[in-house]
Amino acid sequence: MDFDLQWLLLGLPLAFAFGWLASRLDLRQWKREQKDSPKAYYKGLNLLLNDQHDKAIDAFIEAVQQDPDTSDLHFALGNLFRRRGEFERAVRVHEHLLNRADLPRTERDRAQHALAQDFMKAGLFDRAEAAYQALEGTAFDTEARLALLTLHERSRDWRAAVEVAQKLENRGTGSFAPRISHYWCEIALEADAKHQPDEADAALEHAREAAPQAARTLVLAGQRAARRGDHAQVLALWGVLMVAHPAAFNLVARDYAQSAIASGGIAAAIDRLRELYDRAPTMDLLEALALLDPAPAHQRTRLLEQLRSHPTLSVAKALITQTDAAAFDTAETKALGDAIGRAAKPLHRYRCAACGFEAQHYFWQCPGCLNWDSYPPQRLEDL
């Protein structure tokens, strides 16, 4: 059978025409998709700015469906889910990004960081730790280490916190010496609770090496010496504290007085306390002086001085207690003292300077905002 060249000449233009038409249709569809996708994206962004999160999520889902390869839309959607507390959906979005083989390395690291944040917010600390550790050596390395430090503090894994803080300091992120000292102090307290004095001694030595003049190491060392009955060591350690951190000395003023009584150094202790009181008078120092010099006349004189210079409800109550019973009816005096005591009770608290969290006891780390050394070591009425 002979091949007719006429059909070939006729078919080539037709094939070219059909190819051209198909390409035009594909191009129009692509342009339409590109036009619709930004529209859905901007609609979602506008809804998000107007705090209409439910509608914004619907708009972003529509945009992702129209353009599933756009990673920015996935990140926006995942972050929205996390902010709303829908952590499982946020994890799915970011895990989907990580499973894409065509994702560039920078976007993959970004997705890993977002996934770690999802786990952290969801309280899945083990998975968050693994996700943050996978970011070592990436552009998110420092952020990941800081997050790991917070995670270890929350889980009270103090040795892991020491390791991360030292790495951050070695990288020039900042000085973490005070926090490292706190971590070792926490380790020492745990060792003491387990009756492991040698381990506690070693931890406290590490704390001193990290921050030699830190207030907490001196307080803790003195408390441990007091439990051993080494009151001379207590006076020596807290004598340094009195000079280096006079405000923090208020935390141990009464215990200092007890050790002075036990060691027979009452006169010297009175002189040192009186000198500190003249510079920075507080009720804690007055109570310590009362232990060392309990004479009613002397106590009344000190209270009157304090009431004139720094009038507080606690001083007023203490002065009423010291008043001679012949001057007032006992029942009236007691009732007046009780009323003043109830009014003064809220002022006996410590308040975090960072978040305002108040507590009856002093904390080296605020239970509210988890900041270290954010509590002034003086009660509200002495500030």
Side-chain angles (χ1 to χ4, degrees), residues 123-145:
L124 303 173
F125 295 147
D126 290 344
R127 299 183 71 179
E129 182 177 358
Y132 278 123
Q133 288 174 344
L135 290 166
E136 185 175 355
T138 70
F140 297 94
D141 188 284
T142 299
E143 294 178 46
R145 290 186 190 278

Side-chain angles (χ1 to χ4, degrees), residues 30-80:
W30 178 81
K31 287 183 176 179
R32 184 165 57 253
E33 290 176 352
Q34 292 298 311
K35 183 178 179 180
D36 292 340
S37 180
K39 184 183 296 184
Y41 176 77
Y42 288 123
K43 177 184 176 182
L45 186 61
N46 183 57
L47 291 168
L48 180 61
L49 292 174
N50 289 313
D51 291 328
Q52 296 177 297
H53 292 168
D54 290 332
K55 293 182 179 179
I57 286 176
D58 292 338
F60 280 125
I61 289 175
E62 179 185 350
V64 168
Q65 289 172 344
Q66 292 173 359
D67 190 5
D69 293 331
T70 303
S71 59
D72 283 337
L73 294 179
H74 286 77
F75 283 120
L77 187 59
N79 291 338
L80 264 179

Side-chain angles (χ1 to χ4, degrees), residues 192-244:
D192 274 331
K194 296 175 182 177
H195 306 290
Q196 298 171 340
D198 292 340
E199 187 174 339
D201 289 338
L204 195 56
E205 185 59 32
H206 286 306
R208 289 197 194 96
E209 291 173 359
Q213 292 298 318
R216 190 180 187 184
T217 57
L218 292 168
V219 169
L220 184 55
Q223 290 171 339
R224 298 184 74 243
R227 288 196 295 271
R228 294 194 306 267
D230 190 352
H231 296 290
Q233 180 70 4
V234 172
L235 296 181
L237 288 167
W238 287 347
V240 176
L241 179 68
M242 189 184 297
V243 175

